[in-house]
């Protein structure tokens, strides 16, 4: 979210709160300490409902958000063998439907709002 914010709003003043929960970030906005919070698009419906916020872009119109990413790994540039194996693993998990099953099981609104 931080990288997307910097990319799309380069002149904005950014307060980074890396250990904050979703509730903490929402409180920053509701208390007037921040004007906006940037969060994963899959949380948008729950955040809108719980805190009375509005999402941009509208979650109902664009459920994938501004820069959707389902899975990401950080690999040293020099470790091309590991990168190749991870890419093959992600493709296999996606093609088999397992990635979607795991996403639906673990990337839930309830899990995210627990903080």
């Amino acid at each position: 979210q931080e990288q997307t914010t910097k990319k799309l709003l380069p002149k904005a003043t950014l307060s980074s709160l890396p250990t904050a929960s979703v509730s903490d970030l929402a409180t920053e906005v509701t208390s007037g300490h921040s004007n906006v919070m940037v969060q994963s698009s899959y949380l948008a419906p729950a955040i809108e409902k719980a805190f009375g916020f509005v999402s941009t872009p509208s979650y109902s119109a664009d459920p994938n958000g501004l820069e959707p990413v389902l899975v990401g790994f950080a690999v040293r540039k020099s470790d091309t063998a590991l990168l190749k194996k991870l890419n093959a693993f992600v493709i296999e998990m996606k093609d088999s439907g397992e990635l979607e099953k795991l996403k639906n099981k673990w990337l839930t609104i309830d899990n995210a709002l627990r903080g």
Side-chain angles (χ1 to χ4, degrees):
Q1 293 94 340
E2 189 171 322
Q3 289 177 356
T4 299
T5 303
K6 287 178 180 178
K7 178 181 170 184
L8 297 175
L9 302 168
K11 295 182 180 181
T13 301
L14 181 65
S15 296
S16 181
L17 303 169
T19 60
S21 69
V22 172
S23 295
D24 294 336
L25 296 173
T27 300
E28 285 289 307
V29 176
T30 57
S31 68
H33 291 117
S34 296
N35 295 318
V36 175
M37 70 180 274
V38 179
Q39 192 51 256
S40 299
S41 60
Y42 80 95
L43 292 176
I47 292 169
E48 288 176 354
K49 183 178 179 182
F51 301 101
F53 293 166
V54 176
S55 294
T56 301
S58 166
Y59 181 79
S60 59
D62 188 2
N64 292 320
L66 297 170
E67 292 197 341
V69 177
L70 285 177
V71 175
F73 295 100
V75 179
R76 284 187 299 276
K77 288 182 182 182
S78 62
D79 203 342
T80 56
L82 177 58
L83 179 61
K84 184 176 178 179
K85 287 180 182 181
L86 285 172
N87 283 334
F89 169 75
V90 171
I91 289 168
E92 179 184 327
M93 294 292 284
K94 185 176 178 184
D95 290 348
S96 72
E98 190 64 24
L99 186 60
E100 186 70 18
K101 289 178 190 174
L102 290 170
K103 181 186 85 163
N104 292 336
K105 180 177 180 178
W106 297 107
L107 296 179
T108 66
I109 292 167
D110 288 340
N111 284 343
L113 291 177
R114 283 188 201 139

